[in-house]
Coordinates of all heavy atoms in Angstrom, one line a residue:
M1 N 196.3 -11.7 -112.2 CA 195.7 -12.8 -111.6 C 194.6 -12.4 -110.5 O 194.9 -11.5 -109.7 CB 196.7 -13.7 -110.9 CG 196.2 -14.9 -110.2 SD 197.4 -15.9 -109.3 CE 198.3 -16.6 -110.7
K2 N 193.5 -12.9 -110.5 CA 192.4 -12.6 -109.6 C 192.7 -13.2 -108.2 O 193.4 -14.2 -108.1 CB 191.1 -13.1 -110.0 CG 190.6 -12.4 -111.3 CD 189.2 -13.0 -111.7 CE 188.7 -12.3 -112.9 NZ 187.4 -12.8 -113.3
I3 N 192.2 -12.5 -107.2 CA 192.4 -13.0 -105.8 C 191.9 -14.4 -105.7 O 192.6 -15.3 -105.1 CB 191.7 -12.1 -104.8 CG1 192.5 -10.8 -104.7 CG2 191.7 -12.8 -103.4 CD1 191.9 -9.8 -103.8
I4 N 190.7 -14.7 -106.2 CA 190.2 -16.1 -106.1 C 191.1 -17.1 -106.7 O 191.3 -18.2 -106.2 CB 188.8 -16.2 -106.6 CG1 188.1 -17.5 -106.2 CG2 188.7 -16.1 -108.1 CD1 187.7 -17.5 -104.7
D5 N 191.8 -16.8 -107.8 CA 192.8 -17.7 -108.4 C 194.0 -17.9 -107.4 O 194.4 -19.1 -107.3 CB 193.3 -17.2 -109.7 CG 192.2 -17.1 -110.8 OD1 191.2 -17.9 -110.7 OD2 192.2 -16.2 -111.6
R6 N 194.4 -16.9 -106.8 CA 195.5 -17.1 -105.8 C 195.1 -17.9 -104.6 O 195.8 -18.7 -104.1 CB 196.0 -15.7 -105.3 CG 196.8 -15.0 -106.3 CD 197.4 -13.7 -105.7 NE 197.9 -12.9 -106.7 CZ 198.6 -11.8 -106.5 NH1 198.6 -11.3 -105.3 NH2 199.1 -11.1 -107.5
L7 N 193.9 -17.7 -104.2 CA 193.4 -18.4 -103.0 C 193.2 -19.9 -103.3 O 193.3 -20.7 -102.4 CB 192.1 -17.8 -102.5 CG 192.2 -16.4 -101.9 CD1 190.9 -15.9 -101.5 CD2 193.1 -16.5 -100.6
K8 N 192.9 -20.2 -104.5 CA 192.8 -21.6 -104.9 C 194.1 -22.4 -104.5 O 194.1 -23.6 -104.2 CB 192.4 -21.8 -106.3 CG 191.0 -21.5 -106.6 CD 190.6 -21.7 -108.0 CE 189.2 -21.3 -108.2 NZ 188.8 -21.4 -109.6
N9 N 195.2 -21.7 -104.6 CA 196.5 -22.3 -104.3 C 196.9 -22.0 -102.8 O 197.8 -22.6 -102.3 CB 197.6 -21.8 -105.2 CG 197.4 -22.2 -106.6 OD1 196.9 -23.3 -106.8 ND2 197.7 -21.4 -107.6
G10 N 196.2 -21.1 -102.2 CA 196.4 -20.8 -100.8 C 197.2 -19.5 -100.7 O 198.0 -19.1 -101.5
Y11 N 196.8 -18.7 -99.7 CA 197.5 -17.5 -99.3 C 198.1 -17.7 -97.9 O 197.3 -17.9 -97.0 CB 196.5 -16.3 -99.4 CG 197.3 -15.0 -99.1 CD1 198.0 -14.4 -100.1 CD2 197.2 -14.4 -97.9 CE1 198.7 -13.3 -99.9 CE2 197.9 -13.2 -97.7 CZ 198.6 -12.6 -98.7 OH 199.3 -11.5 -98.5
H12 N 199.4 -17.7 -97.9 CA 200.0 -18.1 -96.6 C 200.9 -16.9 -96.1 O 201.6 -16.2 -96.8 CB 200.9 -19.3 -96.8 CG 201.6 -19.7 -95.6 ND1 201.0 -20.3 -94.6 CD2 202.9 -19.6 -95.2 CE1 201.9 -20.6 -93.6 NE2 203.1 -20.2 -94.0
N13 N 200.7 -16.7 -94.8 CA 201.5 -15.7 -94.1 C 201.9 -16.4 -92.8 O 201.3 -17.4 -92.4 CB 200.6 -14.5 -93.8 CG 201.4 -13.4 -93.0 OD1 201.8 -13.7 -91.9 ND2 201.4 -12.2 -93.6
K14 N 203.0 -16.0 -92.1 CA 203.4 -16.7 -90.9 C 202.4 -16.7 -89.9 O 202.4 -17.6 -89.0 CB 204.7 -16.0 -90.4 CG 205.9 -16.2 -91.3 CD 207.1 -15.5 -90.8 CE 208.2 -15.7 -91.7 NZ 209.5 -15.0 -91.3
S15 N 201.4 -15.8 -89.8 CA 200.4 -15.8 -88.8 C 199.1 -16.3 -89.2 O 198.2 -16.5 -88.3 CB 200.3 -14.4 -88.2 OG 199.9 -13.5 -89.2
Y16 N 198.8 -16.5 -90.5 CA 197.5 -17.1 -90.9 C 197.7 -17.8 -92.2 O 198.7 -17.7 -92.9 CB 196.5 -16.0 -91.0 CG 196.8 -14.9 -92.0 CD1 196.4 -15.0 -93.3 CD2 197.6 -13.8 -91.6 CE1 196.8 -14.1 -94.3 CE2 197.9 -12.8 -92.6 CZ 197.5 -13.0 -93.9 OH 197.8 -12.0 -94.8
F17 N 196.6 -18.5 -92.6 CA 196.5 -19.2 -93.9 C 195.1 -19.2 -94.4 O 194.2 -19.5 -93.6 CB 197.0 -20.7 -93.7 CG 197.0 -21.4 -95.0 CD1 198.1 -21.2 -95.9 CD2 196.1 -22.4 -95.3 CE1 198.1 -22.0 -97.1 CE2 196.1 -23.1 -96.5 CZ 197.1 -22.9 -97.4
I18 N 194.9 -18.8 -95.6 CA 193.6 -18.7 -96.2 C 193.7 -19.5 -97.5 O 194.6 -19.3 -98.3 CB 193.2 -17.3 -96.6 CG1 193.2 -16.4 -95.4 CG2 191.9 -17.2 -97.3 CD1 193.1 -14.9 -95.7
S19 N 192.7 -20.5 -97.7 CA 192.8 -21.3 -98.9 C 191.3 -21.6 -99.3 O 190.4 -21.7 -98.5 CB 193.4 -22.6 -98.5 OG 193.6 -23.4 -99.7
A20 N 191.1 -21.6 -100.7 CA 189.8 -21.9 -101.3 C 190.0 -23.0 -102.3 O 190.9 -23.0 -103.1 CB 189.3 -20.7 -101.9
Y21 N 189.2 -24.0 -102.2 CA 189.2 -25.2 -103.1 C 187.7 -25.5 -103.5 O 186.9 -25.6 -102.6 CB 189.7 -26.4 -102.4 CG 191.2 -26.3 -102.0 CD1 191.4 -26.0 -100.7 CD2 192.2 -26.5 -102.9 CE1 192.8 -25.9 -100.2 CE2 193.5 -26.4 -102.4 CZ 193.8 -26.1 -101.1 OH 195.1 -26.0 -100.7
D22 N 187.5 -25.5 -104.8 CA 186.1 -25.8 -105.3 C 185.1 -24.9 -104.5 O 185.1 -23.7 -104.6 CB 185.8 -27.3 -105.2 CG 186.7 -28.1 -106.1 OD1 187.1 -27.6 -107.2 OD2 187.1 -29.2 -105.6
N23 N 184.3 -25.5 -103.6 CA 183.3 -24.8 -102.9 C 183.6 -24.8 -101.4 O 182.7 -24.8 -100.5 CB 181.9 -25.3 -103.1 CG 181.5 -25.0 -104.5 OD1 181.8 -23.9 -105.1 ND2 180.7 -25.9 -105.1
S24 N 184.9 -24.9 -101.0 CA 185.3 -24.9 -99.6 C 186.3 -23.8 -99.4 O 187.2 -23.5 -100.2 CB 186.0 -26.2 -99.2 OG 185.1 -27.2 -99.3
I25 N 186.3 -23.1 -98.2 CA 187.2 -22.1 -97.8 C 187.8 -22.6 -96.4 O 187.0 -23.0 -95.5 CB 186.5 -20.8 -97.6 CG1 185.8 -20.3 -98.9 CG2 187.5 -19.7 -97.2 CD1 184.8 -19.3 -98.7
Y26 N 189.1 -22.5 -96.3 CA 189.7 -22.9 -95.0 C 190.4 -21.6 -94.5 O 191.2 -21.0 -95.2 CB 190.8 -23.9 -95.3 CG 190.2 -25.2 -95.8 CD1 190.2 -25.5 -97.1 CD2 189.7 -26.2 -94.9 CE1 189.6 -26.6 -97.6 CE2 189.1 -27.4 -95.4 CZ 189.1 -27.6 -96.8 OH 188.6 -28.7 -97.2
L27 N 190.1 -21.2 -93.3 CA 190.7 -20.1 -92.6 C 191.4 -20.6 -91.4 O 190.8 -21.2 -90.5 CB 189.7 -19.1 -92.3 CG 188.7 -18.6 -93.4 CD1 187.6 -17.7 -92.8 CD2 189.5 -17.9 -94.5
I28 N 192.7 -20.4 -91.3 CA 193.5 -20.9 -90.2 C 194.2 -19.7 -89.5 O 194.7 -18.8 -90.1 CB 194.6 -21.9 -90.7 CG1 193.9 -23.1 -91.4 CG2 195.5 -22.4 -89.6 CD1 194.8 -24.0 -92.1
N29 N 194.1 -19.8 -88.2 CA 194.6 -18.8 -87.3 C 193.8 -17.4 -87.3 O 194.4 -16.4 -87.2 CB 196.1 -18.5 -87.5 CG 197.0 -19.7 -87.0 OD1 196.5 -20.4 -86.1 ND2 198.1 -19.8 -87.6
Y30 N 192.5 -17.5 -87.5 CA 191.7 -16.3 -87.4 C 191.6 -16.0 -85.9 O 191.8 -16.8 -85.0 CB 190.3 -16.5 -88.0 CG 189.4 -17.5 -87.3 CD1 188.6 -17.0 -86.3 CD2 189.4 -18.8 -87.6 CE1 187.7 -17.9 -85.6 CE2 188.6 -19.7 -86.9 CZ 187.7 -19.2 -85.9 OH 186.9 -20.0 -85.2
K31 N 191.2 -14.7 -85.6 CA 191.0 -14.3 -84.3 C 189.5 -14.3 -83.8 O 189.2 -14.7 -82.7 CB 191.5 -12.8 -84.1 CG 193.0 -12.7 -84.3 CD 193.7 -13.6 -83.3 CE 195.2 -13.5 -83.5 NZ 195.9 -14.4 -82.6
E32 N 188.6 -14.0 -84.8 CA 187.2 -13.9 -84.4 C 186.3 -14.0 -85.6 O 186.6 -13.3 -86.6 CB 187.0 -12.6 -83.6 CG 185.6 -12.4 -83.2 CD 185.4 -11.0 -82.5 OE1 186.3 -10.2 -82.5 OE2 184.3 -10.8 -82.0
I33 N 185.2 -14.7 -85.6 CA 184.2 -14.7 -86.6 C 183.3 -13.6 -86.2 O 182.6 -13.7 -85.2 CB 183.5 -16.0 -86.8 CG1 184.5 -17.1 -87.3 CG2 182.4 -15.9 -87.8 CD1 183.9 -18.5 -87.4
L34 N 183.2 -12.5 -87.0 CA 182.4 -11.3 -86.6 C 181.0 -11.5 -87.1 O 180.0 -11.0 -86.4 CB 183.0 -10.1 -87.3 CG 184.4 -9.8 -86.9 CD1 185.0 -8.6 -87.7 CD2 184.5 -9.4 -85.4
N35 N 180.8 -12.1 -88.3 CA 179.4 -12.3 -88.8 C 179.4 -13.5 -89.8 O 180.4 -13.7 -90.5 CB 179.0 -11.0 -89.6 CG 177.6 -11.1 -90.1 OD1 176.7 -11.6 -89.5 ND2 177.5 -10.6 -91.4
I36 N 178.4 -14.2 -89.7 CA 178.2 -15.3 -90.7 C 176.7 -15.4 -91.0 O 175.9 -15.5 -90.1 CB 178.8 -16.6 -90.3 CG1 178.8 -17.6 -91.4 CG2 178.2 -17.2 -89.0 CD1 179.7 -18.8 -91.3
S37 N 176.4 -15.5 -92.3 CA 175.1 -15.7 -92.8 C 175.2 -16.6 -94.0 O 176.3 -17.0 -94.4 CB 174.4 -14.4 -93.1 OG 174.9 -13.8 -94.3
D38 N 174.1 -16.9 -94.6 CA 174.3 -17.8 -95.8 C 174.8 -17.0 -97.0 O 175.2 -17.6 -98.0 CB 172.9 -18.4 -96.2 CG 171.8 -17.4 -96.5 OD1 171.9 -16.3 -96.1 OD2 170.9 -17.8 -97.2
T39 N 175.0 -15.7 -96.9 CA 175.5 -14.9 -98.0 C 176.8 -14.1 -97.7 O 177.5 -13.6 -98.6 CB 174.5 -13.9 -98.6 OG1 174.1 -13.0 -97.5 CG2 173.3 -14.6 -99.1
T40 N 177.1 -13.9 -96.4 CA 178.3 -13.1 -96.0 C 179.0 -13.7 -94.8 O 178.3 -14.1 -93.9 CB 177.8 -11.6 -95.7 OG1 177.1 -11.1 -96.8 CG2 179.0 -10.8 -95.3
I41 N 180.3 -13.6 -94.9 CA 181.1 -14.1 -93.8 C 182.1 -12.9 -93.5 O 182.8 -12.4 -94.4 CB 181.9 -15.4 -94.1 CG1 180.9 -16.5 -94.4 CG2 182.8 -15.7 -92.9 CD1 181.6 -17.7 -95.1
M42 N 182.3 -12.5 -92.3 CA 183.3 -11.5 -91.9 C 184.1 -12.1 -90.8 O 183.6 -12.5 -89.7 CB 182.6 -10.2 -91.5 CG 183.6 -9.1 -91.2 SD 182.8 -7.6 -90.6 CE 181.9 -7.1 -92.1
V43 N 185.4 -12.1 -91.0 CA 186.3 -12.8 -90.0 C 187.5 -11.8 -89.8 O 188.0 -11.2 -90.7 CB 186.9 -14.1 -90.6 CG1 187.9 -14.7 -89.6 CG2 185.8 -15.0 -91.0
R44 N 187.9 -11.7 -88.5 CA 189.0 -10.8 -88.1 C 190.2 -11.7 -87.9 O 190.2 -12.7 -87.3 CB 188.7 -10.1 -86.8 CG 189.8 -9.2 -86.3 CD 189.6 -8.6 -85.0 NE 188.3 -8.0 -84.7 CZ 187.9 -6.8 -85.2 NH1 188.7 -6.1 -85.9 NH2 186.6 -6.4 -84.9
F45 N 191.3 -11.2 -88.5 CA 192.6 -11.8 -88.3 C 193.4 -10.7 -87.5 O 192.9 -9.7 -87.1 CB 193.3 -12.1 -89.7 CG 192.7 -13.3 -90.4 CD1 191.6 -13.1 -91.2 CD2 193.3 -14.5 -90.2 CE1 191.0 -14.2 -91.8 CE2 192.7 -15.6 -90.9 CZ 191.6 -15.5 -91.7
N46 N 194.7 -10.9 -87.3 CA 195.5 -10.0 -86.5 C 195.4 -8.6 -86.9 O 195.2 -7.7 -86.1 CB 197.0 -10.4 -86.5 CG 197.3 -11.4 -85.5 OD1 196.5 -11.6 -84.5 ND2 198.4 -12.1 -85.6
N47 N 195.6 -8.3 -88.2 CA 195.6 -6.8 -88.6 C 194.7 -6.5 -89.8 O 194.9 -5.6 -90.5 CB 197.0 -6.4 -88.9 CG 197.8 -7.3 -89.8 OD1 197.2 -8.2 -90.3 ND2 199.0 -6.9 -90.1
F48 N 193.7 -7.4 -90.1 CA 192.8 -7.1 -91.1 C 191.5 -7.9 -90.9 O 191.5 -8.9 -90.1 CB 193.4 -7.5 -92.5 CG 193.6 -8.9 -92.8 CD1 192.6 -9.7 -93.4 CD2 194.8 -9.6 -92.4 CE1 192.8 -11.1 -93.6 CE2 195.0 -10.9 -92.6 CZ 194.0 -11.7 -93.2
K49 N 190.5 -7.5 -91.6 CA 189.2 -8.2 -91.7 C 189.1 -8.8 -93.1 O 189.4 -8.2 -94.1 CB 188.0 -7.3 -91.5 CG 187.9 -6.8 -90.1 CD 186.7 -5.9 -90.0 CE 186.7 -5.1 -88.7 NZ 185.6 -4.0 -88.7
L50 N 188.6 -10.0 -93.1 CA 188.3 -10.7 -94.4 C 186.8 -10.8 -94.6 O 186.1 -11.3 -93.7 CB 188.9 -12.1 -94.4 CG 188.6 -12.9 -95.7 CD1 189.3 -12.3 -96.9 CD2 189.1 -14.4 -95.5
I51 N 186.3 -10.2 -95.7 CA 184.8 -10.3 -96.0 C 184.7 -11.1 -97.2 O 185.3 -10.9 -98.2 CB 184.3 -8.9 -96.2 CG1 184.5 -8.0 -95.0 CG2 182.8 -8.9 -96.6 CD1 184.2 -6.5 -95.2
I52 N 183.9 -12.2 -97.0 CA 183.6 -13.1 -98.1 C 182.1 -13.0 -98.5 O 181.3 -13.1 -97.6 CB 184.0 -14.6 -97.7 CG1 185.4 -14.6 -97.2 CG2 183.7 -15.5 -98.9 CD1 185.7 -15.9 -96.5
K53 N 181.8 -12.8 -99.7 CA 180.4 -12.8 -100.2 C 180.2 -13.9 -101.2 O 181.0 -14.3 -101.9 CB 180.1 -11.4 -100.8 CG 180.3 -10.3 -99.8 CD 179.5 -9.1 -100.2 CE 179.7 -8.1 -99.1 NZ 178.6 -7.3 -98.8
G54 N 178.9 -14.4 -101.1 CA 178.5 -15.5 -102.0 C 177.2 -16.0 -101.6 O 176.3 -15.2 -101.2
K55 N 177.0 -17.3 -101.7 CA 175.7 -17.9 -101.3 C 175.9 -19.3 -100.8 O 177.0 -19.9 -101.0 CB 174.7 -17.9 -102.5 CG 175.1 -18.7 -103.7 CD 174.1 -18.5 -104.8 CE 174.5 -19.4 -106.0 NZ 173.5 -19.4 -107.0
D56 N 174.9 -19.7 -100.1 CA 174.8 -21.1 -99.5 C 176.0 -21.4 -98.5 O 176.4 -22.5 -98.4 CB 174.8 -22.1 -100.6 CG 173.6 -22.0 -101.5 OD1 172.6 -21.5 -101.1 OD2 173.8 -22.3 -102.7
F57 N 176.5 -20.4 -97.8 CA 177.6 -20.6 -96.8 C 177.1 -21.4 -95.6 O 176.0 -21.2 -95.1 CB 178.1 -19.3 -96.3 CG 178.9 -18.5 -97.3 CD1 178.8 -17.2 -97.5 CD2 179.8 -19.2 -98.2 CE1 179.5 -16.5 -98.4 CE2 180.5 -18.5 -99.1 CZ 180.4 -17.1 -99.2
R58 N 177.9 -22.3 -95.2 CA 177.6 -23.1 -94.0 C 179.0 -23.6 -93.4 O 179.9 -23.9 -94.1 CB 176.7 -24.3 -94.2 CG 177.2 -25.3 -95.2 CD 176.1 -26.3 -95.6 NE 176.6 -27.3 -96.4 CZ 176.9 -27.2 -97.7 NH1 176.8 -26.0 -98.3 NH2 177.4 -28.2 -98.4
I59 N 179.0 -23.6 -92.1 CA 180.3 -24.0 -91.4 C 180.3 -25.6 -91.4 O 179.3 -26.2 -90.9 CB 180.4 -23.4 -90.0 CG1 180.5 -21.9 -90.1 CG2 181.5 -24.1 -89.2 CD1 180.6 -21.2 -88.7
I60 N 181.4 -26.1 -91.8 CA 181.5 -27.6 -91.8 C 182.3 -28.0 -90.6 O 181.9 -29.0 -89.9 CB 182.3 -28.1 -93.1 CG1 181.5 -27.6 -94.3 CG2 182.5 -29.6 -93.1 CD1 180.1 -28.1 -94.4
R61 N 183.4 -27.3 -90.3 CA 184.2 -27.6 -89.1 C 184.7 -26.3 -88.5 O 185.0 -25.4 -89.2 CB 185.5 -28.4 -89.5 CG 185.3 -29.9 -89.8 CD 186.6 -30.5 -90.0 NE 187.5 -29.6 -90.8 CZ 188.5 -30.0 -91.4 NH1 188.9 -31.3 -91.4 NH2 189.3 -29.2 -92.1
K62 N 184.8 -26.3 -87.2 CA 185.3 -25.1 -86.5 C 186.0 -25.5 -85.2 O 185.6 -26.3 -84.5 CB 184.1 -24.2 -86.2 CG 184.5 -22.9 -85.5 CD 183.2 -22.1 -85.2 CE 183.6 -20.8 -84.4 NZ 184.3 -21.0 -83.2
S63 N 187.1 -24.8 -85.0 CA 187.8 -24.8 -83.7 C 188.1 -23.4 -83.3 O 187.6 -22.4 -84.0 CB 189.2 -25.6 -83.9 OG 190.1 -24.8 -84.6
N64 N 188.8 -23.1 -82.3 CA 189.1 -21.8 -81.8 C 189.9 -21.0 -82.8 O 189.8 -19.7 -82.7 CB 189.8 -21.8 -80.4 CG 188.9 -22.3 -79.3 OD1 187.6 -22.2 -79.5 ND2 189.4 -22.8 -78.3
T65 N 190.6 -21.6 -83.6 CA 191.5 -20.9 -84.6 C 191.3 -21.2 -86.0 O 191.8 -20.6 -86.9 CB 193.0 -21.1 -84.2 OG1 193.3 -22.5 -84.3 CG2 193.3 -20.5 -82.8
D66 N 190.6 -22.3 -86.3 CA 190.5 -22.8 -87.7 C 189.0 -23.0 -88.0 O 188.2 -23.4 -87.2 CB 191.2 -24.1 -87.9 CG 192.6 -24.1 -87.5 OD1 193.2 -23.0 -87.4 OD2 193.2 -25.2 -87.4
V67 N 188.6 -22.8 -89.3 CA 187.3 -23.0 -89.7 C 187.2 -23.4 -91.2 O 188.1 -23.0 -92.0 CB 186.4 -21.7 -89.5 CG1 186.8 -20.6 -90.4 CG2 184.9 -22.0 -89.7
E68 N 186.4 -24.4 -91.5 CA 186.1 -24.8 -92.9 C 184.7 -24.4 -93.2 O 183.7 -24.7 -92.5 CB 186.3 -26.3 -93.1 CG 186.0 -26.7 -94.5 CD 186.0 -28.2 -94.7 OE1 186.3 -29.0 -93.7 OE2 185.7 -28.7 -95.8
I69 N 184.5 -23.7 -94.3 CA 183.2 -23.2 -94.7 C 182.9 -23.7 -96.2 O 183.8 -23.6 -97.0 CB 183.2 -21.7 -94.7 CG1 183.4 -21.2 -93.3 CG2 181.8 -21.1 -95.2 CD1 183.8 -19.7 -93.2
K70 N 181.7 -24.2 -96.4 CA 181.3 -24.6 -97.7 C 180.4 -23.5 -98.3 O 179.6 -22.9 -97.5 CB 180.5 -25.9 -97.7 CG 181.4 -27.1 -97.3 CD 182.0 -27.7 -98.5 CE 182.7 -29.0 -98.1 NZ 183.4 -29.6 -99.1
G71 N 180.4 -23.3 -99.6 CA 179.5 -22.4 -100.2 C 180.1 -21.9 -101.5 O 181.2 -22.2 -101.9
I72 N 179.4 -21.0 -102.2 CA 179.8 -20.5 -103.5 C 180.3 -19.1 -103.3 O 179.5 -18.2 -102.9 CB 178.6 -20.5 -104.5 CG1 178.2 -22.0 -104.7 CG2 179.1 -19.9 -105.8 CD1 176.9 -22.1 -105.4
V73 N 181.6 -18.8 -103.5 CA 182.2 -17.5 -103.3 C 182.1 -16.7 -104.6 O 182.4 -17.1 -105.6 CB 183.7 -17.7 -102.9 CG1 184.4 -16.3 -102.8 CG2 183.9 -18.5 -101.7
S74 N 181.6 -15.4 -104.4 CA 181.6 -14.5 -105.5 C 182.6 -13.4 -105.3 O 183.0 -12.8 -106.3 CB 180.2 -13.9 -105.7 OG 179.8 -13.2 -104.5
N75 N 183.0 -13.1 -104.1 CA 183.9 -12.0 -103.8 C 184.6 -12.1 -102.5 O 183.9 -12.6 -101.5 CB 183.1 -10.6 -103.9 CG 184.0 -9.5 -103.8 OD1 185.1 -9.4 -104.4 ND2 183.6 -8.4 -103.1
M76 N 185.9 -11.7 -102.4 CA 186.6 -11.7 -101.2 C 187.3 -10.4 -101.1 O 187.8 -9.9 -102.1 CB 187.6 -12.8 -101.1 CG 187.1 -14.1 -100.8 SD 188.5 -15.2 -100.3 CE 187.8 -16.8 -100.8
E77 N 187.3 -9.8 -99.9 CA 187.9 -8.5 -99.7 C 188.7 -8.5 -98.3 O 188.1 -8.9 -97.3 CB 186.9 -7.4 -99.7 CG 187.4 -6.0 -99.5 CD 186.3 -5.0 -99.4 OE1 185.1 -5.3 -99.5 OE2 186.7 -3.8 -99.4
M78 N 189.9 -8.0 -98.4 CA 190.7 -7.8 -97.2 C 190.7 -6.4 -96.8 O 191.1 -5.5 -97.6 CB 192.1 -8.3 -97.4 CG 192.2 -9.8 -97.6 SD 193.9 -10.3 -98.0 CE 194.6 -10.4 -96.5
I79 N 190.3 -6.0 -95.6 CA 190.3 -4.6 -95.1 C 191.4 -4.6 -94.0 O 191.2 -5.1 -92.9 CB 188.9 -4.2 -94.6 CG1 187.9 -4.4 -95.7 CG2 189.0 -2.8 -94.0 CD1 186.5 -4.1 -95.3
H80 N 192.5 -3.8 -94.3 CA 193.5 -3.7 -93.3 C 193.2 -2.6 -92.3 O 192.7 -1.6 -92.6 CB 194.9 -3.4 -94.0 CG 195.3 -4.5 -94.9 ND1 196.1 -5.5 -94.3 CD2 195.1 -4.8 -96.2 CE1 196.3 -6.4 -95.3 NE2 195.8 -6.0 -96.4
E81 N 193.5 -2.9 -91.1 CA 193.1 -2.0 -90.0 C 194.4 -1.4 -89.4 O 195.5 -1.8 -89.5 CB 192.5 -2.8 -88.8 CG 191.2 -3.5 -89.3 CD 190.5 -4.3 -88.2 OE1 191.2 -4.9 -87.4 OE2 189.3 -4.4 -88.2

């Protein structure tokens, strides 16, 4: 099963939640948005960075710990620190 298929149903951990639906990505309990452009998003969680690549990214909603992003995802990568 591909990561994107798992994310469509949601990836849940006690300290964070990552979910992708159609052309929306929900990130809950992130620590910091490191970089965002229309093709790349880099977000820091407690012990990893999430790098999302694609196109037409834009922030729809944002709070200190939660963000909803619209766009077309082509790749996601978790880099553990």
Side-chain angles (χ1 to χ4, degrees):
M1 178 182 291
K2 293 182 181 180
I3 289 176
I4 195 70
D5 294 331
R6 285 186 190 183
L7 289 176
K8 286 181 181 176
N9 293 325
Y11 185 75
H12 180 71
N13 180 299
K14 291 181 182 178
S15 61
Y16 62 88
F17 183 76
I18 301 168
S19 184
Y21 299 97
D22 297 322
N23 290 325
S24 293
I25 304 163
Y26 299 93
L27 307 175
I28 299 172
N29 288 334
Y30 70 88
K31 295 298 177 188
E32 179 183 7
I33 296 176
L34 301 170
N35 180 41
I36 186 161
S37 71
D38 62 339
T39 59
T40 304
I41 301 165
M42 186 181 296
V43 180
R44 181 185 314 280
F45 287 85
N46 274 342
N47 53 0
F48 69 93
K49 290 180 192 170
L50 179 66
I51 300 171
I52 306 168
K53 298 209 177 209
K55 63 181 182 177
D56 301 328
F57 290 137
R58 63 191 184 284
I59 293 177
I60 301 301
R61 283 186 321 200
K62 181 183 177 302
S63 71
N64 289 338
T65 59
D66 303 348
V67 66
E68 177 185 359
I69 300 164
K70 293 273 188 185
I72 299 168
V73 175
S74 61
N75 187 37
M76 287 194 202
E77 179 181 6
M78 294 173 81
I79 300 174
H80 292 274
E81 300 178 327

